[in-house]
Amino acid sequence: MRSGLLTAEALYDEVTLAVRSELPHLASQADVLARVWIAEFTREVQAEAAGWPDVTDHDRLQAAFGTLESAGLAVLQGCEDHWAAKRLLDERPVRGVLWFTQPDVWHAIDEGMLEINVWHGSTANIAPGDELLDEVVAAFAGQRLEAHYDEGRVEVAAFWRRRLA
C-alpha cells in the first residue's frame, strides 16, 4: 500500500492471499480482515503524510521521471523484473529505459535510497562516462535529488513518500 503501485483490487487480493497463506486458522475471515487492515493502514499513512513537506522526494522523483520520459526514455516503476523492461524495449523503440522493482521501492520507503536500473535501447547497461548516465543524473539533480552511479545502477537519495489517492 505504501508504495502506491498496486490497484485497490490488487492490494486486497494480496492481503487476502497473505491471510490465507500465513494465517490459515483465520482463512475464513480473510475478506473481513483484509478490508479492516487496509482501512486501518490507510488511516495511519494519511496521518503520517500530514507531517510530510508539501513537496516530497516522491514528487521530485516523478518530476525527474517526467523529464526523462519527455526526452524519449521509458520509466517502469515497480516493474516485475528485467524481463518486463526487455519486453518494453522489444515492443517499442525508445532511447533507453529506467526500471526498478517493488523491492527497490520498499528500500526507498525504509532507507531513503531508490536504486534504478538504466539501459540503453539496446539493453546495454549504462556505465561511467556514458552520456545517458549523465542525462539521468542531471534530471535528478534538477529536482534537488542526489544521484550517482554505483555497481551498475543509479542510486537516488530519496524517500518514497507517496500520498495516498
Side-chain angles (χ1 to χ4, degrees):
M1 167 175 263
R2 235 177 231 288
S3 71
L5 296 172
L6 297 176
T7 64
E9 181 179 306
L11 177 63
Y12 168 80
D13 290 345
E14 283 207 10
V15 175
T16 55
L17 176 63
V19 170
R20 289 184 180 113
S21 354
E22 302 297 322
L23 304 168
H25 63 287
L26 298 174
S28 65
Q29 301 168 30
D31 178 63
V32 172
L33 289 172
R35 293 182 195 288
V36 168
W37 290 345
I38 290 169
E40 285 177 8
F41 191 71
T42 298
R43 285 190 296 276
E44 289 174 17
V45 172
Q46 288 171 332
E48 182 183 317
W52 294 348
D54 290 340
V55 177
T56 66
D57 288 349
H58 180 268
D59 298 325
R60 289 185 178 92
L61 285 166
Q62 297 310 308
F65 294 149
T67 296
L68 294 164
E69 287 175 326
S70 294
L73 301 172
V75 178
L76 299 177
Q77 300 187 46
C79 74
E80 190 171 323
D81 55 25
H82 72 280
W83 293 111
K86 173 77 168 84
R87 274 192 304 278
L88 177 130
L89 292 173
D90 289 343
E91 292 170 3
R92 64 180 171 131
V94 291
R95 291 182 43 233
V97 61
L98 287 79
W99 63 274
F100 51 91
T101 63
Q102 289 195 34
D104 294 323
V105 171
W106 283 107
H107 186 70
I109 289 169
D110 294 337
E111 304 297 330
M113 178 68 65
L114 181 62
E115 297 177 1
I116 302 172
N117 297 285
V118 182
W119 290 352
H120 290 273
S122 65
T123 72
N125 282 316
I126 54 165
D130 191 320
E131 288 181 21
L132 182 57
L133 171 60
D134 295 342
E135 181 179 355
V136 169
V137 169
F140 292 116
Q143 293 299 321
R144 299 186 331 266
L145 293 170
E146 182 184 324
H148 65 273
Y149 178 84
D150 185 50
E151 298 182 10
R153 297 173 73 164
V154 172
E155 292 184 348
V156 184
F159 280 96
W160 188 275
R161 291 185 176 148
R162 180 176 180 169
R163 287 182 169 75
L164 301 178

